[in-house]
Amino acid sequence: MHSWCRILSILALLSSAVAVPASSSVTSAPAASPTVPYASDDPNYPLWNEDEDIIPEAIRGTLGASILGPQNIPMELQNPDLLAPPTTDAGSLPNFKWPFSLSHNRLQTGGWARQQNINDMSIATDLAGVNMRLEVGAIREMHWHNDGEWAYIIQGDLRISTVTPDGQVYVGDVSQGDIWYFPAGYPHSIQAKNTSAGGAEFLLVFDSGSFSEDSTFLLTDWLAHVPKEVIAKNFQVNISAFDHIPASELYIFPSTPPPLNIESDMVIPNDTPMPFTFAMSQVNATQAPGGSYKVVDTRTFPVSTTVCSAEVTVEVGGMRELHWHPTEPEWTFFVSGQARITVYGSSAQATTMDFQAGDIAYIPPSYGHYVENTGNSTLLFLEIFRSGLFQDISLTQWLALTPPELVKAHLGLDDATIASFSRVKQEVVGPAH
């Protein structure tokens, strides 16, 4: 009897020793404390811009030193974050900037074309671009590609046409800010109208990083390499009808402008189920705290199944918010203004680069980034994606919708700061408060 009483007494003592008050929580982790040093308070602003009358130096704060050797001053003025990068940069991401100004230009009677592909930026594996100019009446000859073609009109007016594999036809007009899309293999034509004095200039984006403008399938090039008796048999006409076909490709060449009345240019009325052009210029932009944006994807332009886009403006001091695109590569083209982008590629790798009008940025899927207006005028750029559907993840929205204690544990923020985060995507934010 005494033995049982002793055992019960011991169990009672053990129970009271491990009892936890109802208001406490059980944890195996130590109390919160810094596990790594706090990040620097240095704001890492850009140190200069391309308009300043200075000689740039490779110095940021106490880091770096003056340059004793030769300098390309105009290039260094345009790229302060390469010569004197922010201290937050680390690692060595592949180059993600390409200026069209460095692309070899193909000059033709009636226009020109220059391109960017994986040969210029090895990181740009899924999208490539062409900048093309046509004088009034000039034609980019009838052709087709292995890849889908998306286009944006920078200036001027154009008439395009295509025929589908089912023999359906579409003829359409596009103007500044409008877009078109041709699926891979669809034959098409492009001609500058005479409704603007200088003709037209436009951007072409293809859904393959290895695309080459010099490897398109051209009408004249094909027929120049087919025996004429075969051509005559195919079209069921006399062989003499082909006495004047070109002996080599035309590519871009001058011609008479198309008629103003588009119906008079049609062999038959348009009969495709979906249009191949979209008047993005007529879409009202969505206003944001620091600018505006338009998104065009298969929800509004269903024929464009492999490429979608956003047209973004950022006011002075504003920024396209910190974000990433889950699975979509981004090909960014700067239409006007000055900007900088820091791309975060995981594994403590981050690089900051500066951009001017005519420059291209390429950002792989899931790489975190922002686009900051570093100039003194409105920034206008295009985000173009290898996807039919536009998607992005906002860093601010993610943190705002995550349990606050988790955010506090990661970043050491106070409750008021976390509560101030927008639960709705801002897309474009204004200057800091």
Side-chain angles (χ1 to χ4, degrees):
M1 185 68 167
H2 291 295
S3 299
W4 280 108
C5 289
R6 183 175 177 79
I7 292 170
L8 290 172
S9 297
I10 292 171
L11 290 174
L13 286 170
L14 289 172
S15 177
S16 64
V18 299
V20 178
S23 59
S24 301
S25 59
V26 177
T27 177
S28 61
S33 63
T35 55
V36 297
Y38 291 128
S40 168
D41 290 333
D42 184 351
N44 277 299
Y45 294 118
L47 296 182
W48 62 80
N49 64 53
E50 62 177 293
D51 301 317
E52 293 188 39
D53 185 17
I54 63 169
I55 296 177
E57 296 286 4
I59 298 173
R60 182 178 282 272
T62 61
L63 302 175
S66 62
I67 298 172
L68 301 180
Q71 288 184 253
N72 185 332
I73 291 176
M75 184 74 75
E76 290 168 352
L77 284 172
Q78 288 190 353
N79 296 280
D81 291 298
L82 285 180
L83 187 63
T87 57
T88 45
D89 278 13
S92 56
L93 289 176
N95 173 52
F96 59 90
K97 172 182 177 177
W98 183 260
F100 264 133
S101 297
L102 293 181
S103 293
H104 187 269
N105 211 349
R106 178 174 178 175
L107 306 182
Q108 300 280 141
T109 303
W112 50 257
R114 52 188 178 178
Q115 69 178 356
Q116 169 277 318
N117 59 24
I118 198 170
N119 295 327
D120 306 306
M121 275 194 295
S122 62
I123 196 172
T125 56
D126 291 297
L127 292 159
V130 173
N131 180 203
M132 188 171 288
R133 171 85 163 85
L134 296 177
E135 293 184 325
V136 170
I139 296 172
R140 168 63 171 101
E141 81 158 281
M142 298 167 68
H143 64 285
W144 68 99
H145 310 283
N146 278 327
D147 308 301
E149 173 185 303
W150 179 97
Y152 175 88
I153 315 308
I154 297 172
Q155 190 169 323
D157 306 302
L158 295 150
R159 180 161 296 163
I160 60 91
S161 70
T162 188
V163 172
T164 74
D166 295 322
Q168 298 163 322
V169 64
Y170 182 85
V171 181
D173 287 343
V174 283
S175 299
Q176 182 173 337
D178 294 340
I179 61 178
W180 76 65
Y181 178 83
F182 299 125
Y186 279 41
H188 52 279
S189 65
I190 308 166
Q191 184 174 19
K193 299 172 61 180
N194 63 356
T195 45
S196 54
E201 185 172 339
F202 48 100
L203 182 70
L204 302 170
V205 178
F206 298 88
D207 58 13
S208 170
S210 59
F211 171 84
S212 173
E213 180 66 10
D214 298 323
S215 299
T216 56
F217 296 91
L218 302 170
L219 171 63
T220 55
D221 186 44
W222 189 17
L223 292 187
H225 294 88
V226 176
K228 278 195 177 178
E229 67 90 9
V230 172
I231 298 174
K233 187 181 297 181
N234 180 80
F235 291 105
Q236 294 290 289
V237 297
N238 190 280
I239 194 171
S240 63
F242 300 97
D243 285 348
H244 302 294
I245 63 172
S248 59
E249 67 178 54
L250 295 175
Y251 188 68
I252 290 173
F253 61 99
S255 187
T256 303
L260 291 178
N261 183 354
I262 192 170
E263 282 78 16
S264 66
D265 212 19
M266 296 177 178
V267 177
I268 60 173
N270 287 346
D271 58 355
T272 56
M274 298 178 289
F276 289 84
T277 61
F278 184 82
M280 186 162 71
S281 63
Q282 305 303 310
V283 173
N284 292 326
T286 300
Q287 298 303 308
S292 66
Y293 60 94
K294 303 178 184 180
V295 172
V296 178
D297 60 13
T298 49
R299 290 169 290 193
T300 50
F301 189 29
V303 75
S304 188
T305 56
T306 65
V307 180
C308 66
S309 62
E311 184 185 74
V312 182
T313 67
V314 182
E315 298 304 328
V316 174
M319 183 178 81
R320 173 75 166 94
E321 68 173 333
L322 284 159
H323 67 285
W324 69 93
H325 307 280
T327 60
E328 303 86 4
E330 176 181 343
W331 193 95
T332 305
F333 179 74
F334 292 90
V335 180
S336 62
Q338 300 173 31
R340 75 168 176 171
I341 300 175
T342 299
V343 169
Y344 164 67
S346 79
S347 307
Q349 294 192 92
T351 300
T352 305
M353 291 189 175
D354 306 280
F355 296 84
Q356 289 77 33
D359 290 351
I360 301 158
Y362 186 90
I363 302 164
S366 287
Y367 279 39
H369 59 287
Y370 63 86
V371 183
E372 182 182 19
N373 185 343
T374 55
N376 54 15
S377 62
T378 300
L379 174 69
L380 172 62
F381 64 95
L382 301 170
E383 299 178 359
I384 301 159
F385 303 94
R386 177 64 170 86
S387 173
L389 188 66
F390 174 90
Q391 292 181 316
D392 66 351
I393 303 289
S394 159
L395 176 61
T396 301
Q397 185 186 51
W398 179 37
L399 298 184
L401 297 176
T402 295
E405 291 302 318
L406 274 175
V407 179
K408 190 184 301 183
H410 282 78
L411 301 178
L413 304 176
D414 59 39
D415 291 329
T417 298
I418 297 171
S420 72
F421 291 167
S422 175
R423 298 179 183 181
V424 178
K425 288 181 186 178
Q426 299 297 287
E427 302 293 1
V428 186
V429 296
H433 297 299

